[in-house]
Amino acid sequence: MTESTPLHTRLYDTMIQRIRSGEWRQGERVPSEKELAEEFGTSRGPVRQALAALRAEGMIVGGRGAPPRVNRAVPLQSFDTFMSFTEWARDLGYTPGQRVIEAARRPATEEVARELEIDMDEQVVEIIRLRLLDGEPAMLERSLFPFRIGRHLISADLDNGSIYQNMRALNISPVRARHVIDAVAAHQLDAEWLRVPVGGPLLRVRRVSFDQNGDVLESSDDRYLPSMATFVVENSSEHRTPLTRAVVGAAPEGLSALP
């Protein structure tokens, strides 16, 4: 963060840190615009912009006559970082969990072969897991691997470990990924494990990751409960590529929070 960064962005980052550190606790009233402007030695405009961004992300609630209050400490995850779900959750103070629903070897369909850049009918490994935060369902993860990688994972203890940690132990590391974010209706399997009605709204992140040689390592389809995650795109005039982050916490407007 530099002095060239807009003031409202610097205020926003300071306020996020106060929420994440527990200085501003869940349910507590956020200081008024006047109080914050006096503390930071600025006008109310940048303070109002920072508070609006926090409110849009569900980090604070209230307004229009009701004093804003801290809704929930909302951890952020950059899609630029290959940190496993397990590492990320622990780093943010959550207790991660996972349950393997299926781990199977099968021939690649035409679509899967195209996605993994392999020949049709070549063997692949599919792993489906339920991901938990503090014991609560958060996401259903479907991952597909070329057999050269998946054969090492199919017998691993993935109820108690991370796929990425297992891959790193084999000196296999993703260095680049492409993400597509959209909204989908829950299928039967989604509904069963995420405890939502069939057809209920879910947030989906489809990811294809690559190694340093440009070879595809994995194709995944991760479906999040909208009550557990929203996605934020942050743009900067200094960078052509927007920064996209996963925000775990209550989504105040449900799927409307999806960019």
Side-chain angles (χ1 to χ4, degrees):
M1 192 66 62
T2 66
E3 289 298 321
S4 62
T5 303
L7 178 56
H8 68 85
T9 300
R10 283 181 274 152
L11 296 179
Y12 166 87
D13 288 338
T14 298
M15 294 176 193
I16 283 179
Q17 183 56 39
R18 290 183 178 182
I19 293 173
R20 294 180 65 183
S21 68
E23 182 179 348
W24 288 1
R25 298 182 180 179
Q26 184 174 351
E28 287 187 351
R29 185 182 71 83
V30 175
S32 68
E33 290 180 8
K34 179 181 178 183
E35 292 169 330
L36 291 169
E38 290 176 352
E39 176 186 352
F40 293 112
T42 184
S43 65
R44 292 193 185 188
V47 170
R48 190 172 295 122
Q49 286 178 279
L51 291 173
L54 295 175
R55 187 175 290 108
E57 294 185 10
M59 299 177 72
I60 62 175
V61 293
R64 297 183 180 178
R69 295 184 180 276
V70 176
N71 184 32
R72 182 175 178 176
V74 183
L76 304 178
Q77 179 187 17
S78 171
F79 286 143
D80 293 334
T81 303
F82 287 106
M83 179 181 289
S84 73
F85 183 97
T86 300
E87 293 169 323
W88 171 61
R90 286 176 178 162
D91 188 54
L92 294 167
Y94 287 86
T95 300
Q98 53 271 329
R99 185 180 307 168
V100 175
I101 298 170
E102 182 180 2
R105 170 181 174 176
R106 55 175 56 96
T109 63
E110 182 179 356
E111 181 180 357
V112 169
R114 183 170 58 251
E115 191 81 349
L116 294 179
E117 298 180 358
I118 60 176
D119 293 332
M120 189 175 171
D121 293 328
E122 190 172 326
Q123 294 293 297
V124 299
V125 170
E126 180 177 22
I127 298 173
I128 303 175
R129 295 193 297 174
L130 175 69
R131 310 312 299 269
L132 308 166
L133 286 175
D134 289 345
E136 293 297 320
M139 181 258 284
L140 196 67
E141 172 190 83
R142 297 170 172 87
S143 300
L144 288 160
F145 303 89
F147 186 70
R148 62 186 174 84
I149 297 171
R151 65 189 179 91
H152 300 290
L153 302 173
I154 198 167
S155 59
D157 181 11
L158 298 180
D159 278 333
N160 297 294
S162 161
I163 285 178
Y164 276 7
Q165 287 173 340
N166 276 274
M167 290 171 65
R168 283 199 292 267
L170 298 167
N171 294 318
I172 300 171
S173 297
V175 299
R176 180 174 64 86
R178 180 178 68 248
H179 299 87
V180 177
I181 305 170
D182 61 3
V184 295
H187 293 169
Q188 182 63 48
L189 188 67
D190 304 324
E192 177 183 351
W193 290 97
L194 294 175
R195 305 173 193 168
V196 295
V198 173
L202 297 174
L203 302 179
R204 178 173 65 173
V205 178
R206 287 174 288 169
R207 179 181 66 255
V208 178
S209 61
F210 306 84
D211 66 13
Q212 69 274 14
N213 298 317
D215 295 327
V216 177
L217 299 179
E218 168 204 20
S219 172
S220 72
D221 180 313
D222 300 339
R223 302 186 180 199
Y224 292 82
L225 286 169
S227 61
M228 296 293 286
T230 58
F231 299 96
V232 179
V233 176
E234 181 178 312
N235 297 303
S236 169
S237 60
E238 299 175 0
H239 304 284
R240 288 186 174 273
T241 303
L243 172 64
T244 308
R245 300 172 294 178
V247 183
V248 176
E253 301 296 334
L255 292 181
S256 65
L258 185 71

